[in-house]
Amino acid sequence: ELNFLHHVNSKRRYYDDDIIKKALYRYEKIWIPLMAKISTSTQTDLLHFPPTDVRWVWHTHMLAPKAYAQDLRASTIGRVMNHDISLQNDVHGTRSAWENFTSQPFHLNLDKDYSDQVTDVQSESGFTYDIVSACKRQSVFFYQVSLPHYRETDFLRKCIHRYCMYLTLQKLRPDNFLVPCYDMDIVWHTHQVLPVSYAEDMNRILGRLLNHDDSVNDRAQGSKLSRTSEQTQNLWKETFNVGFCQPGAMYRGQPPQRYLSQVPAAVLKELFSLEAVDLKCKLVTVKLPSTHHLYHVDARVDYTPALFGHSTVLNNHTNEDAVEGDGAKLEEGDTTLRSWTFASSFEPIRYFPRVENTLTVKIRYEKSVFWFCKSMKEKSDGIKFNAVKSSGMFEENSLEGQHTFSFLDNKSVTTVLERGPTYKHAANQIFYLEHINTQHVPIPDEIGSLWGPIPLDYAPPHADPTCPVIHLGLVDRTEVDKHTLKVEENRITARILHSLSLGMSAVHVLVDGKMVVMAHTVGESTIGSVAALTGLHFKQRQKKVAWRAMIVKDSSGDVGLLLAAWTGAKKGVKGVPGSSGRRGVPGIPGEPGECTLIWYNLATREQVDFEITYKNRYAFRFMGMQCDLMQGTFVKHKSESHAVLKMCVSLAASVLYLLVQPVPEDISLARNKWLLGQRKGVKPPYLDNDDALAFQLAGWNVRDTMPTNQNLAKKRKDESRSNYAAAMFLAGCGGIIYYTGYYDGGYEEGGGGEEGSDWIDDVYDDDGVYGIDVGGDSGAGYGGDAGDGGGC
């Protein structure tokens, strides 16, 4: 079942109206009459395999078992047509029978015009069930069950067990409209696409055919879905004395394809390439005084773009390649100039004229080196020459023609340059994070219109009416003429949203005003237990912490999970001052810890570990992109792909850093004590947040509205749970459960180690400083040094 849904979902055209209608025609007007002709029973039905588009609408039809039975009995086959989800091969000549029965092709190519392949389509269906609308709803359903844990054996066993419990409740409460979670619903779907077995099982277990209606999908408060979901939870608890909600089985929001756009390849090339020309050094002539006792002369051309300063040796020619010219007497004395000319053999240079560059002709003679530079540098083994200097921004015509540079002692170098046409080419680029504005905007009733595809369709009751939206620009200032570009004019922008009452943070990255990648906080309720993620490995120090997570999405669906936790924090131990007759005991320094992050690719199930720590000045490398959160810069290497996705992950990492970072309640007091020099040791990392641009723009300046670990723990203590609960809708459905964005809910349970809500008190002293700085005088007599402070 999951494999088939995945196949359909990977070819999004199966959700198009036109294709569904034509597939419905082929199912109703060709497949069913064909089966009536070639199959005589429900057993022989299983010998025949339909085309994929036909199977798609047939599959959806079976998910309304009462309508399916009624429609098939009224059709040319006159009975319920059997189906088996394991059907895979056309081993009994179904295709041949199809082609003898109709002129329509058996398999269709969705990459071509569908109308050319399917002709004479009757627009009206005789079925009572609206299969077209139902097919579209399957996109939403598959998204709910598409995460990897739905393929884990242990999870599926629980799904089957809970489906059996659901049938038990159906038997006990036949008059109630009972709404399942998605873990039960996927088993129910699988059961229904075995239509004959399903009907027999339901009659045996319930004494009736249990219908399935996924058209009840209005998740607004007070709707049928919302009311019956709450009733189902109450009946479940009353009947089985266990909670109804299951980790990894709850509503995950709308599929991202509705909200996120794909960036065209042409736009990506424009964004992630620079103006380039092919520049050829056709001739190099060197003139040197003959008194230098020259044994040989070498010429080499180097090219160094200013960004990163990596030099590329493009050519290297020795005096064997040169033609020595005639000598010439200088007027000032008897010194004779000798010349060497290197021609034709220099390879073209890919030159980026709008980036600060160094184009160097390097001449070596008698182990001496001197440089001519078309930029800011010139040197020769410690000797500096007064070469012509350039800003690095060359006009088009300045690249071409003859250039002569004269140096001390009558040395000179003449070059002849030739440029080719301008084109775009991938290059190293640096993007700067820049603030546009921060607005506090109303949260709309249809929450997705602001927040995008998060696990909420409507704002729950008691939610704060507004939330901060931080607008940013990711500005490429690699080329000199972009240094004055206004951030509002930039093509890559971002939004960061926070709501403590929703327990939600989100990051949106936009290209040309269209959202293309996003990340939002998720909890155990929607993505399951961390232990169920195949291929995810934790180091020992990562196993007893409370993880937070954000899921990252693009136009293709879910891309990966970014997990974060604060690890390695240790409280200092007080030193004992010495006294007469007793030696002091040094204190043990504390450790502020660091933010540990894990990127988990949902497609490949591979992970990437990295840290954000004061030890690296809040810089890290993520899959080739160099991120400096202090400066707010992202450096993209010329060979990198998926740059926009990596920018989103880097911004999400900044948000998660703030969500998990332990911070004292009174930051001002802690800051003042630190600045006044009353504490020793490592500066607490939270005091760097004011200086780190990425943290400021990720939400540090609106931290009271962020669903940080501490804010949520405090809110739990101060208010009833319902005041900060978020609506997390069940399968098909709308029950309320409590959602905070935690991955494993460690702060709520407080289960040992660093997980409990009292952990903050274990990290800080009363003034919000790591460790305790207790020293003292050594004391007389036995003496010795007093304990050093226990600060970091």
Side-chain angles (χ1 to χ4, degrees):
E1 174 70 0
L2 285 172
N3 288 339
F4 178 68
L5 291 176
H6 179 270
H7 172 75
V8 170
N9 200 68
S10 67
K11 299 182 181 298
R12 303 290 299 177
R13 290 198 66 194
Y14 280 123
Y15 299 122
D16 292 350
D17 269 12
D18 183 53
I19 287 181
I20 297 172
K21 289 176 180 177
K22 289 172 179 175
L24 176 58
Y25 166 78
R26 284 158 54 84
Y27 166 58
E28 183 178 0
K29 306 302 182 183
I30 301 176
W31 179 250
I32 293 175
L34 174 61
M35 288 294 287
K37 180 179 179 181
I38 64 176
S39 178
T40 58
S41 69
T42 56
Q43 288 74 31
T44 57
D45 290 345
L46 303 181
L47 301 178
H48 303 286
F49 181 73
T52 304
D53 64 318
V54 171
R55 188 181 179 189
W56 169 226
V57 294
W58 184 13
H59 170 278
T60 306
H61 200 185
M62 288 183 284
L63 297 180
K66 286 188 175 180
Y68 177 70
Q70 178 181 340
D71 291 339
L72 267 290
R73 290 190 179 107
S75 71
T76 54
I77 200 169
R79 59 176 174 82
V80 171
M81 190 165 59
N82 205 2
H83 175 269
D84 188 337
I85 56 173
S86 65
L87 289 174
Q88 293 188 14
N89 296 306
D90 180 25
V91 295
H92 291 279
T94 311
R95 177 170 184 164
S96 176
W98 173 286
E99 292 172 347
N100 289 330
F101 186 78
T102 179
S103 60
Q104 300 285 352
F106 186 74
H107 287 303
L108 300 175
N109 186 347
L110 295 186
D111 296 328
K112 295 182 178 180
D113 188 348
Y114 202 86
S115 61
D116 293 342
Q117 303 172 70
V118 181
T119 57
D120 301 324
V121 175
Q122 297 179 10
S123 58
E124 295 298 324
S125 170
F127 292 151
T128 60
Y129 187 58
D130 185 357
I131 293 179
V132 175
S133 297
C135 283
K136 292 182 176 180
R137 290 195 295 270
Q138 288 303 296
S139 171
V140 178
F141 173 77
F142 175 70
Y143 181 68
Q144 313 307 319
V145 298
S146 60
L147 286 176
H149 62 272
Y150 272 91
R151 295 177 182 271
E152 299 295 335
T153 301
D154 289 344
F155 182 80
L156 290 175
R157 286 196 182 104
K158 293 179 182 177
C159 293
I160 295 170
H161 176 69
R162 280 166 48 87
Y163 173 60
C164 293
M165 294 171 69
Y166 176 76
L167 293 180
T168 300
L169 194 61
Q170 285 280 4
K171 185 172 184 178
L172 295 173
R173 301 283 183 169
D175 297 329
N176 288 82
F177 185 87
L178 303 176
V179 183
C181 293
Y182 281 103
D183 61 332
M184 310 170 208
D185 212 14
I186 185 59
V187 182
W188 193 5
H189 280 218
T190 305
H191 201 177
Q192 288 173 92
V193 296
L194 304 166
V196 173
S197 296
Y198 178 76
E200 292 173 352
D201 291 340
M202 291 302 103
N203 285 322
R204 176 172 47 83
I205 296 170
L206 303 178
R208 59 188 170 93
L209 181 64
L210 178 61
N211 199 31
H212 176 270
D213 185 2
D214 67 349
S215 65
V216 182
N217 51 26
D218 179 6
R219 294 177 171 84
Q221 289 296 315
S223 66
K224 177 181 178 180
L225 196 55
S226 177
R227 289 183 285 103
T228 55
S229 295
E230 186 174 356
Q231 292 168 8
T232 302
Q233 292 182 70
N234 294 335
L235 291 172
W236 189 278
K237 179 68 174 178
E238 176 186 316
T239 304
F240 303 115
N241 197 31
V242 294
F244 181 66
C245 301
Q246 173 74 5
M250 315 316 292
Y251 180 65
R252 301 179 54 225
Q254 293 289 323
Q257 288 85 354
R258 173 183 170 186
Y259 295 87
L260 305 181
S261 301
Q262 184 176 7
V263 185
V267 174
L268 287 175
K269 185 174 182 179
E270 289 177 20
L271 293 172
F272 300 114
S273 60
L274 302 179
E275 182 180 302
V277 297
D278 287 335
L279 187 64
K280 187 172 183 179
C281 186
K282 297 190 68 177
L283 186 74
V284 175
T285 300
V286 182
K287 292 185 178 182
L288 300 170
S290 59
T291 55
H292 279 66
H293 306 293
L294 303 176
Y295 295 103
H296 65 268
V297 176
D298 294 349
R300 191 178 82 182
V301 179
D302 291 353
Y303 175 49
T304 308
L307 185 59
F308 316 132
H310 298 312
S311 178
T312 301
V313 178
L314 296 160
N315 302 274
N316 191 10
H317 302 291
T318 66
N319 62 325
E320 286 81 5
D321 303 313
V323 177
E324 187 173 353
D326 296 331
K329 288 282 187 179
L330 297 179
E331 293 181 1
E332 291 82 356
D334 296 329
T335 304
T336 301
L337 284 178
R338 297 172 63 189
S339 68
W340 286 261
T341 299
F342 301 82
S344 319
S345 53
F346 293 93
E347 295 296 324
I349 303 162
R350 179 174 292 115
Y351 190 84
F352 297 97
R354 309 184 80 80
V355 177
E356 293 184 5
N357 298 281
T358 301
L359 180 63
T360 304
V361 177
K362 184 176 181 181
I363 309 300
R364 185 180 65 181
Y365 62 98
E366 275 192 334
K367 299 182 181 179
S368 296
V369 178
F370 77 95
W371 294 70
F372 123 72
C373 302
K374 276 183 73 73
S375 187
M376 304 297 292
K377 299 179 181 178
E378 62 279 351
K379 62 182 180 179
S380 174
D381 289 344
I383 302 173
K384 291 187 177 181
F385 297 93
N386 295 319
V388 177
K389 297 182 179 181
S390 168
S391 66
M393 180 62 181
F394 299 105
E395 299 296 334
E396 285 193 13
N397 56 7
S398 69
L399 287 175
E400 200 161 19
Q402 179 172 305
H403 303 264
T404 299
F405 296 87
S406 300
F407 303 95
L408 296 176
D409 301 328
N410 299 305
K411 306 180 187 108
S412 69
V413 175
T414 299
T415 63
V416 176
L417 302 179
E418 180 180 80
R419 74 188 303 278
T422 301
Y423 60 93
K424 301 282 281 188
H425 196 275
N428 298 336
Q429 291 169 271
I430 183 166
F431 291 84
Y432 291 81
L433 198 59
E434 300 184 12
H435 185 233
I436 298 176
N437 60 55
T438 299
Q439 300 174 321
H440 288 264
V441 302
I443 298 177
D445 291 337
E446 292 189 9
I447 205 165
S449 61
L450 173 65
W451 283 76
I454 64 171
L456 291 170
D457 282 356
Y458 297 93
H462 311 296
D464 290 341
T466 64
C467 66
V469 181
I470 306 165
H471 297 269
L472 313 171
L474 288 154
V475 186
D476 173 17
R477 299 201 185 279
T478 310
E479 295 181 317
V480 176
D481 57 338
K482 293 181 180 176
H483 289 187
T484 58
L485 179 71
K486 293 182 180 179
V487 63
E488 297 86 352
E489 300 171 352
N490 192 56
R491 298 181 66 182
I492 305 178
T493 56
R495 293 190 294 250
I496 296 178
L497 303 89
H498 299 290
S499 173
L500 178 57
S501 63
L502 299 181
M504 183 66 64
S505 294
V507 175
H508 302 161
V509 178
L510 303 88
V511 174
D512 294 333
K514 296 180 179 179
M515 195 188 331
V516 296
V517 189
M518 74 164 295
H520 65 78
T521 48
V522 286
E524 185 182 57
S525 58
T526 55
I527 59 176
S529 170
V530 69
L533 294 175
T534 301
L536 188 60
H537 304 286
F538 293 96
K539 299 174 183 177
Q540 189 61 39
R541 66 187 179 88
Q542 299 173 347
K543 293 181 178 179
K544 287 283 186 178
V545 294
W547 288 91
R548 297 292 295 272
M550 297 184 84
I551 191 165
V552 181
K553 309 172 181 180
D554 65 12
S555 61
S556 67
D558 298 331
V559 180
L561 290 170
L562 185 64
L563 309 169
W566 199 267
T567 63
K570 296 179 182 178
K571 191 173 183 178
V573 178
K574 294 180 180 181
V576 178
S579 62
S580 58
R582 183 171 62 85
R583 184 181 296 274
V585 179
I588 300 175
E591 269 292 331
E594 60 271 330
C595 180
T596 297
L597 297 107
I598 298 175
W599 168 254
Y600 180 76
N601 187 304
L602 289 167
T604 64
R605 304 194 181 188
E606 296 174 343
Q607 77 178 65
V608 176
D609 297 73
F610 58 101
E611 293 179 344
I612 300 176
T613 171
Y614 71 92
K615 298 174 185 176
N616 295 329
R617 294 303 297 158
Y618 309 102
F620 62 90
R621 182 177 293 275
F622 174 69
M623 297 175 66
M625 180 170 281
Q626 184 65 38
C627 309
D628 187 332
L629 303 184
M630 181 65 73
Q631 301 299 322
T633 59
F634 306 109
V635 177
K636 173 198 168 292
H637 189 268
K638 62 183 179 181
S639 62
E640 279 186 64
S641 58
H642 308 296
V644 178
L645 173 69
K646 293 173 185 177
M647 291 175 182
C648 183
V649 173
S650 300
L651 290 173
S654 303
V655 170
L656 284 168
Y657 179 90
L658 297 179
L659 296 187
V660 302
Q661 184 184 48
V663 176
E665 186 169 349
D666 193 336
I667 297 176
S668 297
L669 176 62
R671 181 186 294 108
N672 290 338
K673 284 187 172 293
W674 176 265
L675 294 175
L676 290 172
Q678 298 181 20
R679 300 291 173 169
K680 299 178 181 179
V682 175
K683 182 181 180 182
Y686 61 82
L687 293 183
D688 286 329
N689 293 355
D690 288 330
D691 300 319
L693 182 60
F695 297 151
Q696 291 180 44
L697 300 182
W700 177 246
N701 295 330
V702 293
R703 57 188 174 274
D704 290 344
T705 68
M706 295 181 68
T708 65
N709 288 352
Q710 289 169 255
N711 284 346
L712 288 168
K714 184 175 184 297
K715 199 166 183 66
R716 285 195 179 99
K717 292 178 181 179
D718 295 345
E719 302 178 10
S720 65
R721 294 173 68 94
S722 60
N723 285 343
Y724 61 89
M728 293 296 298
F729 293 96
L730 314 179
C733 66
I736 301 287
I737 69 167
Y738 302 108
Y739 173 73
T740 61
Y742 287 108
Y743 193 82
D744 277 337
Y747 271 73
E748 181 178 356
E749 302 299 331
E754 297 175 358
E755 299 176 48
S757 59
D758 294 332
W759 173 53
I760 302 303
D761 300 330
D762 294 334
V763 176
Y764 298 104
D765 63 15
D766 293 338
D767 297 327
V769 179
Y770 296 98
I772 299 180
D773 179 21
V774 175
D777 295 330
S778 61
Y782 196 68
D785 293 331
D788 278 339
C792 297

